[in-house]
Amino acid sequence: MRLDHVSYACESDGLLATTERIAAALGADFVKGGVHPRFGTRNMILPLANNQYVEVVEVLNHPASDKAPFGQAVRQRSECGGGWMGWCVAVDDLSPFEERLGRPSVPGNRKFPDGQELTWRQIGINGLIADPQVPYLLRWDDGTEALHPSNALPGMPGSVKLNSLTIAGSAARVTDWLGHPVEAPLEGVDVTWIAPAGTPGIMSVTFDTANGRVEI
């Protein structure tokens, strides 16, 4: 169980403009992720150190985005002005979460220009929509390790490191949601918990960059 990535829903001027602002702040370039056909979304990716990454994601005018919870979550956050949508925890086995939540995980996929395909299963987006402080969970399919988004720049390990999160919410609530202490997936990433003033969720993310520490 580890923190895999953080997701930022694009602002009103769209995916490219939103990504350019974040890239400029961090002094690092994003790469094109691609379309998630099952979810009706597309993303841009910044590989980070420690096999983590940032995605900036945009909902598409596609029927899948109306049906898939992930597309609904992106649309909801973007229509509220955009910003941090959530965080994702990768696990080796989703079955305990499927049993606890009473529903199966759903497949996800993204095709690369060379025909390779990154595939995974995920669960918990409905929980994130209802309570944005909680992470959703995924399991990357076996054999896709080399295609993990943190490897999007082959031979170039991420020069930006995820340092800390500020989350409006409760460590106890997230621990209950995960069924494990919230510290378990964080692996040295600090979290500052603050009382929600409205909707809970990620308020900011701090990164270590070549130009020093940057909070977004």
Side-chain angles (χ1 to χ4, degrees), residues 5-10 36 41 55-59 69-78 82-88 122 125 127-129 131-136 199-205:
H5 66 274
V6 288
S7 299
Y8 191 101
C10 72
H36 309 119
T41 57
E55 70 167 350
V56 180
V57 61
E58 178 179 54
V59 70
F70 188 80
Q72 294 170 14
V74 177
R75 174 176 284 109
Q76 181 184 83
R77 188 69 181 94
S78 289
W84 293 112
M85 185 181 79
W87 53 302
C88 178
Q122 67 185 49
I125 296 296
L128 181 150
I129 291 172
D131 187 2
Q133 68 180 295
V134 301
Y136 69 100
T199 303
I202 296 178
M203 297 292 101
S204 66
V205 180

Side-chain angles (χ1 to χ4, degrees), residues 82-163:
W84 293 112
M85 185 181 79
W87 53 302
C88 178
V89 170
V91 298
D92 294 328
D93 183 7
L94 285 172
S95 59
F97 301 97
E98 293 174 321
E99 292 172 9
R100 190 149 53 83
L101 296 175
R103 57 181 175 272
S105 59
V106 299
N109 69 298
R110 176 163 61 81
K111 285 193 174 182
F112 291 72
D114 63 4
Q116 294 186 91
E117 187 174 29
L118 178 61
T119 57
W120 66 91
R121 296 191 70 87
Q122 67 185 49
I123 193 170
I125 296 296
N126 286 324
L128 181 150
I129 291 172
D131 187 2
Q133 68 180 295
V134 301
Y136 69 100
L137 304 119
L138 65 70
R139 183 187 187 280
W140 299 104
D141 287 346
D142 293 337
T144 64
E145 293 82 6
L147 299 178
H148 187 270
S150 66
N151 300 320
L153 295 172
M156 296 179 62
S159 60
V160 177
K161 179 179 180 292
L162 180 58
N163 175 276

